[in-house]
mmCIF file of all heavy atoms in Angstrom:
data_model
loop_
_atom_site.group_PDB
_atom_site.id
_atom_site.type_symbol
_atom_site.label_atom_id
_atom_site.label_comp_id
_atom_site.label_asym_id
_atom_site.label_seq_id
_atom_site.Cartn_x
_atom_site.Cartn_y
_atom_site.Cartn_z
ATOM 1 N N GLN Q 30 15.228 -14.184 24.008
ATOM 2 C CA GLN Q 30 16.532 -14.835 24.006
ATOM 3 C C GLN Q 30 16.425 -16.275 23.490
ATOM 4 O O GLN Q 30 17.254 -16.737 22.688
ATOM 5 C CB GLN Q 30 17.111 -14.809 25.420
ATOM 6 C CG GLN Q 30 18.533 -15.341 25.521
ATOM 7 C CD GLN Q 30 19.059 -15.295 26.946
ATOM 8 O OE1 GLN Q 30 18.371 -14.833 27.850
ATOM 9 N NE2 GLN Q 30 20.260 -15.784 27.143
ATOM 10 N N LEU Q 31 15.377 -16.971 23.928
ATOM 11 C CA LEU Q 31 15.149 -18.342 23.451
ATOM 12 C C LEU Q 31 14.856 -18.357 21.955
ATOM 13 O O LEU Q 31 15.325 -19.238 21.224
ATOM 14 C CB LEU Q 31 13.987 -18.972 24.219
ATOM 15 C CG LEU Q 31 14.210 -19.213 25.719
ATOM 16 C CD1 LEU Q 31 12.928 -19.708 26.363
ATOM 17 C CD2 LEU Q 31 15.338 -20.212 25.926
ATOM 18 N N LEU Q 32 14.061 -17.383 21.495
ATOM 19 C CA LEU Q 32 13.740 -17.313 20.062
ATOM 20 C C LEU Q 32 14.991 -17.116 19.218
ATOM 21 O O LEU Q 32 15.134 -17.703 18.142
ATOM 22 C CB LEU Q 32 12.758 -16.179 19.802
ATOM 23 C CG LEU Q 32 11.265 -16.481 19.962
ATOM 24 C CD1 LEU Q 32 10.446 -15.231 19.756
ATOM 25 C CD2 LEU Q 32 10.821 -17.571 18.994
ATOM 26 N N ALA Q 33 15.883 -16.265 19.715
ATOM 27 C CA ALA Q 33 17.120 -16.016 18.963
ATOM 28 C C ALA Q 33 17.923 -17.298 18.816
ATOM 29 O O ALA Q 33 18.541 -17.555 17.769
ATOM 30 C CB ALA Q 33 17.946 -14.944 19.685
ATOM 31 N N GLY Q 34 17.921 -18.128 19.865
ATOM 32 C CA GLY Q 34 18.646 -19.394 19.785
ATOM 33 C C GLY Q 34 17.953 -20.412 18.908
ATOM 34 O O GLY Q 34 18.600 -21.262 18.291
ATOM 35 N N VAL Q 35 16.636 -20.359 18.835
ATOM 36 C CA VAL Q 35 15.878 -21.336 18.055
ATOM 37 C C VAL Q 35 15.940 -21.047 16.564
ATOM 38 O O VAL Q 35 15.990 -21.976 15.741
ATOM 39 C CB VAL Q 35 14.405 -21.357 18.526
ATOM 40 C CG1 VAL Q 35 13.539 -22.180 17.573
ATOM 41 C CG2 VAL Q 35 14.309 -21.925 19.925
ATOM 42 N N THR Q 36 15.945 -19.774 16.187
ATOM 43 C CA THR Q 36 15.834 -19.427 14.765
ATOM 44 C C THR Q 36 17.103 -19.742 13.976
ATOM 45 O O THR Q 36 17.029 -19.981 12.767
ATOM 46 C CB THR Q 36 15.512 -17.925 14.609
ATOM 47 O OG1 THR Q 36 16.440 -17.159 15.392
ATOM 48 C CG2 THR Q 36 14.100 -17.629 15.072
ATOM 49 N N ASP Q 37 18.266 -19.754 14.622
ATOM 50 C CA ASP Q 37 19.504 -20.058 13.895
ATOM 51 C C ASP Q 37 19.500 -21.450 13.264
ATOM 52 O O ASP Q 37 19.796 -21.601 12.066
ATOM 53 C CB ASP Q 37 20.713 -19.902 14.823
ATOM 54 C CG ASP Q 37 21.029 -18.434 15.102
ATOM 55 O OD1 ASP Q 37 20.662 -17.591 14.254
ATOM 56 O OD2 ASP Q 37 21.614 -18.137 16.148
ATOM 57 N N PRO Q 38 19.140 -22.527 14.017
ATOM 58 C CA PRO Q 38 19.122 -23.861 13.388
ATOM 59 C C PRO Q 38 18.061 -24.013 12.298
ATOM 60 O O PRO Q 38 18.158 -24.912 11.462
ATOM 61 C CB PRO Q 38 18.812 -24.800 14.559
ATOM 62 C CG PRO Q 38 19.161 -24.032 15.791
ATOM 63 C CD PRO Q 38 18.867 -22.611 15.452
ATOM 64 N N LEU Q 39 17.036 -23.157 12.323
ATOM 65 C CA LEU Q 39 15.963 -23.288 11.344
ATOM 66 C C LEU Q 39 16.431 -22.992 9.923
ATOM 67 O O LEU Q 39 15.778 -23.365 8.952
ATOM 68 C CB LEU Q 39 14.793 -22.366 11.709
ATOM 69 C CG LEU Q 39 13.982 -22.759 12.945
ATOM 70 C CD1 LEU Q 39 12.910 -21.723 13.216
ATOM 71 C CD2 LEU Q 39 13.357 -24.138 12.773
ATOM 72 N N ARG Q 40 17.581 -22.296 9.808
ATOM 73 C CA ARG Q 40 18.075 -21.959 8.479
ATOM 74 C C ARG Q 40 18.416 -23.212 7.658
ATOM 75 O O ARG Q 40 18.317 -23.210 6.438
ATOM 76 C CB ARG Q 40 19.319 -21.074 8.599
ATOM 77 C CG ARG Q 40 19.008 -19.603 8.538
ATOM 78 C CD ARG Q 40 20.247 -18.757 8.550
ATOM 79 N NE ARG Q 40 20.833 -18.680 9.890
ATOM 80 C CZ ARG Q 40 21.890 -17.923 10.195
ATOM 81 N NH1 ARG Q 40 22.467 -17.210 9.271
ATOM 82 N NH2 ARG Q 40 22.350 -17.902 11.413
ATOM 83 N N SER Q 41 18.792 -24.268 8.368
ATOM 84 C CA SER Q 41 19.173 -25.485 7.671
ATOM 85 C C SER Q 41 17.988 -26.428 7.431
ATOM 86 O O SER Q 41 18.156 -27.491 6.858
ATOM 87 C CB SER Q 41 20.239 -26.235 8.481
ATOM 88 O OG SER Q 41 19.747 -26.550 9.780
ATOM 89 N N SER Q 42 16.788 -26.019 7.880
ATOM 90 C CA SER Q 42 15.607 -26.868 7.722
ATOM 91 C C SER Q 42 15.020 -26.689 6.331
ATOM 92 O O SER Q 42 14.643 -25.584 5.934
ATOM 93 C CB SER Q 42 14.570 -26.510 8.791
ATOM 94 O OG SER Q 42 13.362 -27.169 8.520
ATOM 95 N N GLU Q 43 14.920 -27.782 5.607
ATOM 96 C CA GLU Q 43 14.354 -27.734 4.255
ATOM 97 C C GLU Q 43 12.849 -27.438 4.295
ATOM 98 O O GLU Q 43 12.317 -26.754 3.426
ATOM 99 C CB GLU Q 43 14.604 -29.066 3.543
ATOM 100 C CG GLU Q 43 16.075 -29.353 3.281
ATOM 101 C CD GLU Q 43 16.267 -30.661 2.533
ATOM 102 O OE1 GLU Q 43 15.233 -31.283 2.179
ATOM 103 O OE2 GLU Q 43 17.422 -31.042 2.292
ATOM 104 N N VAL Q 44 12.164 -27.970 5.332
ATOM 105 C CA VAL Q 44 10.715 -27.757 5.440
ATOM 106 C C VAL Q 44 10.405 -26.286 5.643
ATOM 107 O O VAL Q 44 9.556 -25.699 4.946
ATOM 108 C CB VAL Q 44 10.131 -28.592 6.601
ATOM 109 C CG1 VAL Q 44 8.650 -28.280 6.791
ATOM 110 C CG2 VAL Q 44 10.346 -30.075 6.343
ATOM 111 N N ILE Q 45 11.114 -25.682 6.595
ATOM 112 C CA ILE Q 45 10.886 -24.264 6.884
ATOM 113 C C ILE Q 45 11.237 -23.414 5.671
ATOM 114 O O ILE Q 45 10.519 -22.467 5.314
ATOM 115 C CB ILE Q 45 11.715 -23.819 8.111
ATOM 116 C CG1 ILE Q 45 11.279 -24.615 9.353
ATOM 117 C CG2 ILE Q 45 11.553 -22.331 8.352
ATOM 118 C CD1 ILE Q 45 9.857 -24.390 9.766
ATOM 119 N N ALA Q 46 12.358 -23.761 5.016
ATOM 120 C CA ALA Q 46 12.777 -23.004 3.839
ATOM 121 C C ALA Q 46 11.727 -23.074 2.734
ATOM 122 O O ALA Q 46 11.436 -22.079 2.061
ATOM 123 C CB ALA Q 46 14.115 -23.538 3.326
ATOM 124 N N THR Q 47 11.133 -24.251 2.540
ATOM 125 C CA THR Q 47 10.107 -24.422 1.507
ATOM 126 C C THR Q 47 8.861 -23.596 1.812
ATOM 127 O O THR Q 47 8.296 -22.933 0.930
ATOM 128 C CB THR Q 47 9.726 -25.906 1.384
ATOM 129 O OG1 THR Q 47 10.894 -26.673 1.073
ATOM 130 C CG2 THR Q 47 8.676 -26.099 0.302
ATOM 131 N N VAL Q 48 8.431 -23.628 3.103
ATOM 132 C CA VAL Q 48 7.243 -22.868 3.501
ATOM 133 C C VAL Q 48 7.461 -21.385 3.309
ATOM 134 O O VAL Q 48 6.608 -20.665 2.753
ATOM 135 C CB VAL Q 48 6.873 -23.187 4.969
ATOM 136 C CG1 VAL Q 48 5.774 -22.247 5.454
ATOM 137 C CG2 VAL Q 48 6.437 -24.631 5.109
ATOM 138 N N LEU Q 49 8.604 -20.897 3.763
ATOM 139 C CA LEU Q 49 8.873 -19.461 3.672
ATOM 140 C C LEU Q 49 9.064 -19.026 2.228
ATOM 141 O O LEU Q 49 8.676 -17.908 1.852
ATOM 142 C CB LEU Q 49 10.102 -19.110 4.512
ATOM 143 C CG LEU Q 49 9.940 -19.300 6.027
ATOM 144 C CD1 LEU Q 49 11.244 -18.983 6.761
ATOM 145 C CD2 LEU Q 49 8.826 -18.409 6.556
ATOM 146 N N GLN Q 50 9.661 -19.905 1.398
ATOM 147 C CA GLN Q 50 9.817 -19.574 -0.015
ATOM 148 C C GLN Q 50 8.451 -19.473 -0.688
ATOM 149 O O GLN Q 50 8.211 -18.600 -1.535
ATOM 150 C CB GLN Q 50 10.667 -20.651 -0.708
ATOM 151 C CG GLN Q 50 10.885 -20.398 -2.198
ATOM 152 C CD GLN Q 50 11.610 -19.097 -2.468
ATOM 153 O OE1 GLN Q 50 12.563 -18.743 -1.765
ATOM 154 N NE2 GLN Q 50 11.154 -18.358 -3.479
ATOM 155 N N GLY Q 51 7.535 -20.355 -0.277
ATOM 156 C CA GLY Q 51 6.178 -20.298 -0.832
ATOM 157 C C GLY Q 51 5.481 -18.999 -0.477
ATOM 158 O O GLY Q 51 4.755 -18.426 -1.299
ATOM 159 N N MET Q 52 5.702 -18.508 0.741
ATOM 160 C CA MET Q 52 5.088 -17.238 1.149
ATOM 161 C C MET Q 52 5.713 -16.075 0.387
ATOM 162 O O MET Q 52 5.030 -15.090 0.078
ATOM 163 C CB MET Q 52 5.230 -17.045 2.661
ATOM 164 C CG MET Q 52 4.278 -17.907 3.455
ATOM 165 S SD MET Q 52 4.075 -17.361 5.164
ATOM 166 C CE MET Q 52 5.689 -17.726 5.815
ATOM 167 N N SER Q 53 6.993 -16.152 0.073
ATOM 168 C CA SER Q 53 7.645 -15.084 -0.694
ATOM 169 C C SER Q 53 7.029 -14.958 -2.084
ATOM 170 O O SER Q 53 6.917 -13.855 -2.629
ATOM 171 C CB SER Q 53 9.149 -15.368 -0.817
ATOM 172 O OG SER Q 53 9.767 -15.338 0.449
ATOM 173 N N ASP Q 54 6.620 -16.101 -2.639
ATOM 174 C CA ASP Q 54 6.021 -16.089 -3.975
ATOM 175 C C ASP Q 54 4.526 -15.788 -3.947
ATOM 176 O O ASP Q 54 3.916 -15.607 -5.008
ATOM 177 C CB ASP Q 54 6.245 -17.454 -4.650
ATOM 178 C CG ASP Q 54 7.725 -17.755 -4.860
ATOM 179 O OD1 ASP Q 54 8.500 -16.775 -4.937
ATOM 180 O OD2 ASP Q 54 8.098 -18.940 -4.895
ATOM 181 N N ALA Q 55 3.937 -15.759 -2.747
ATOM 182 C CA ALA Q 55 2.482 -15.515 -2.624
ATOM 183 C C ALA Q 55 2.245 -14.499 -1.516
ATOM 184 O O ALA Q 55 1.934 -14.877 -0.370
ATOM 185 C CB ALA Q 55 1.744 -16.817 -2.346
ATOM 186 N N PRO Q 56 2.428 -13.205 -1.805
ATOM 187 C CA PRO Q 56 2.324 -12.187 -0.759
ATOM 188 C C PRO Q 56 0.946 -12.128 -0.089
ATOM 189 O O PRO Q 56 0.849 -11.818 1.094
ATOM 190 C CB PRO Q 56 2.633 -10.884 -1.496
ATOM 191 C CG PRO Q 56 2.427 -11.186 -2.943
ATOM 192 C CD PRO Q 56 2.773 -12.630 -3.106
ATOM 193 N N VAL Q 57 -0.106 -12.431 -0.855
ATOM 194 C CA VAL Q 57 -1.452 -12.411 -0.259
ATOM 195 C C VAL Q 57 -1.570 -13.499 0.804
ATOM 196 O O VAL Q 57 -2.134 -13.288 1.883
ATOM 197 C CB VAL Q 57 -2.532 -12.590 -1.336
ATOM 198 C CG1 VAL Q 57 -3.914 -12.681 -0.691
ATOM 199 C CG2 VAL Q 57 -2.491 -11.430 -2.323
ATOM 200 N N PHE Q 58 -1.015 -14.669 0.510
ATOM 201 C CA PHE Q 58 -1.029 -15.753 1.498
ATOM 202 C C PHE Q 58 -0.182 -15.371 2.718
ATOM 203 O O PHE Q 58 -0.562 -15.664 3.861
ATOM 204 C CB PHE Q 58 -0.480 -17.039 0.865
ATOM 205 C CG PHE Q 58 -0.307 -18.162 1.850
ATOM 206 C CD1 PHE Q 58 -1.402 -18.882 2.308
ATOM 207 C CD2 PHE Q 58 0.961 -18.485 2.331
ATOM 208 C CE1 PHE Q 58 -1.250 -19.917 3.223
ATOM 209 C CE2 PHE Q 58 1.123 -19.513 3.249
ATOM 210 C CZ PHE Q 58 0.020 -20.239 3.687
ATOM 211 N N ALA Q 59 0.964 -14.730 2.478
ATOM 212 C CA ALA Q 59 1.824 -14.295 3.578
ATOM 213 C C ALA Q 59 1.100 -13.295 4.470
ATOM 214 O O ALA Q 59 1.199 -13.345 5.703
ATOM 215 C CB ALA Q 59 3.105 -13.685 3.021
ATOM 216 N N LEU Q 60 0.359 -12.381 3.829
ATOM 217 C CA LEU Q 60 -0.415 -11.402 4.586
ATOM 218 C C LEU Q 60 -1.453 -12.100 5.465
ATOM 219 O O LEU Q 60 -1.594 -11.794 6.657
ATOM 220 C CB LEU Q 60 -1.102 -10.441 3.616
ATOM 221 C CG LEU Q 60 -1.959 -9.345 4.248
ATOM 222 C CD1 LEU Q 60 -1.090 -8.233 4.812
ATOM 223 C CD2 LEU Q 60 -2.939 -8.770 3.222
ATOM 224 N N ALA Q 61 -2.169 -13.055 4.865
ATOM 225 C CA ALA Q 61 -3.204 -13.782 5.616
ATOM 226 C C ALA Q 61 -2.589 -14.614 6.735
ATOM 227 O O ALA Q 61 -3.164 -14.733 7.827
ATOM 228 C CB ALA Q 61 -4.002 -14.674 4.665
ATOM 229 N N PHE Q 62 -1.416 -15.198 6.481
ATOM 230 C CA PHE Q 62 -0.747 -16.020 7.491
ATOM 231 C C PHE Q 62 -0.369 -15.183 8.717
ATOM 232 O O PHE Q 62 -0.639 -15.569 9.864
ATOM 233 C CB PHE Q 62 0.499 -16.665 6.874
ATOM 234 C CG PHE Q 62 1.315 -17.465 7.850
ATOM 235 C CD1 PHE Q 62 0.882 -18.716 8.259
ATOM 236 C CD2 PHE Q 62 2.499 -16.959 8.358
ATOM 237 C CE1 PHE Q 62 1.632 -19.469 9.166
ATOM 238 C CE2 PHE Q 62 3.258 -17.685 9.263
ATOM 239 C CZ PHE Q 62 2.824 -18.954 9.671
ATOM 240 N N ALA Q 63 0.250 -14.030 8.490
ATOM 241 C CA ALA Q 63 0.637 -13.149 9.603
ATOM 242 C C ALA Q 63 -0.591 -12.603 10.320
ATOM 243 O O ALA Q 63 -0.597 -12.460 11.549
ATOM 244 C CB ALA Q 63 1.501 -12.004 9.081
ATOM 245 N N MET Q 64 -1.620 -12.307 9.552
ATOM 246 C CA MET Q 64 -2.862 -11.819 10.156
ATOM 247 C C MET Q 64 -3.457 -12.883 11.082
ATOM 248 O O MET Q 64 -3.901 -12.588 12.199
ATOM 249 C CB MET Q 64 -3.863 -11.454 9.062
ATOM 250 C CG MET Q 64 -5.189 -10.919 9.574
ATOM 251 S SD MET Q 64 -6.333 -10.488 8.230
ATOM 252 C CE MET Q 64 -6.721 -12.128 7.615
ATOM 253 N N GLY Q 65 -3.457 -14.135 10.625
ATOM 254 C CA GLY Q 65 -3.975 -15.218 11.445
ATOM 255 C C GLY Q 65 -3.165 -15.426 12.714
ATOM 256 O O GLY Q 65 -3.727 -15.658 13.798
ATOM 257 N N LEU Q 66 -1.834 -15.336 12.611
ATOM 258 C CA LEU Q 66 -0.987 -15.478 13.794
ATOM 259 C C LEU Q 66 -1.284 -14.385 14.821
ATOM 260 O O LEU Q 66 -1.404 -14.651 16.027
ATOM 261 C CB LEU Q 66 0.492 -15.415 13.399
ATOM 262 C CG LEU Q 66 1.142 -16.673 12.844
ATOM 263 C CD1 LEU Q 66 2.619 -16.414 12.551
ATOM 264 C CD2 LEU Q 66 1.002 -17.832 13.826
ATOM 265 N N ALA Q 67 -1.399 -13.148 14.346
ATOM 266 C CA ALA Q 67 -1.668 -12.028 15.260
ATOM 267 C C ALA Q 67 -3.042 -12.170 15.902
ATOM 268 O O ALA Q 67 -3.225 -11.842 17.084
ATOM 269 C CB ALA Q 67 -1.574 -10.704 14.505
ATOM 270 N N PHE Q 68 -4.009 -12.668 15.147
ATOM 271 C CA PHE Q 68 -5.350 -12.880 15.704
ATOM 272 C C PHE Q 68 -5.333 -13.962 16.774
ATOM 273 O O PHE Q 68 -5.892 -13.798 17.868
ATOM 274 C CB PHE Q 68 -6.311 -13.251 14.581
ATOM 275 C CG PHE Q 68 -7.618 -13.802 15.069
ATOM 276 C CD1 PHE Q 68 -8.470 -13.036 15.851
ATOM 277 C CD2 PHE Q 68 -7.996 -15.110 14.759
ATOM 278 C CE1 PHE Q 68 -9.676 -13.554 16.316
ATOM 279 C CE2 PHE Q 68 -9.195 -15.630 15.217
ATOM 280 C CZ PHE Q 68 -10.032 -14.855 16.002
ATOM 281 N N LEU Q 69 -4.670 -15.087 16.486
ATOM 282 C CA LEU Q 69 -4.611 -16.190 17.447
ATOM 283 C C LEU Q 69 -3.849 -15.790 18.707
ATOM 284 O O LEU Q 69 -4.191 -16.196 19.815
ATOM 285 C CB LEU Q 69 -3.967 -17.422 16.803
ATOM 286 C CG LEU Q 69 -4.771 -18.093 15.686
ATOM 287 C CD1 LEU Q 69 -3.968 -19.210 15.043
ATOM 288 C CD2 LEU Q 69 -6.094 -18.632 16.222
ATOM 289 N N ALA Q 70 -2.794 -14.982 18.523
ATOM 290 C CA ALA Q 70 -1.991 -14.553 19.665
ATOM 291 C C ALA Q 70 -2.604 -13.364 20.390
ATOM 292 O O ALA Q 70 -2.162 -13.022 21.490
ATOM 293 C CB ALA Q 70 -0.580 -14.187 19.196
ATOM 294 N N SER Q 71 -3.615 -12.729 19.766
ATOM 295 C CA SER Q 71 -4.228 -11.495 20.298
ATOM 296 C C SER Q 71 -3.168 -10.424 20.537
ATOM 297 O O SER Q 71 -3.272 -9.625 21.468
ATOM 298 C CB SER Q 71 -4.983 -11.781 21.612
ATOM 299 O OG SER Q 71 -6.097 -12.584 21.363
#
């Protein structure tokens, strides 16, 4: 529930938009990024 409330304002963030756009253009990096998150979170 908290995540749902947090993600809405992030749409207007230029920093977040830039990072996510970079991952869209680099699928290998996106794969590694998600893999790292899952590893850190176990």
Side-chain angles (χ1 to χ4, degrees):
Q30 186 180 358
L31 294 174
L32 274 176
V35 170
T36 50
D37 286 335
L39 290 177
R40 266 184 284 184
S41 58
S42 171
E43 294 182 3
V44 175
I45 298 297
T47 302
V48 171
L49 294 177
Q50 180 61 41
M52 285 197 292
S53 296
D54 297 335
V57 175
F58 173 76
L60 180 77
F62 176 76
M64 181 179 70
L66 279 182
F68 166 62
L69 292 174
S71 293

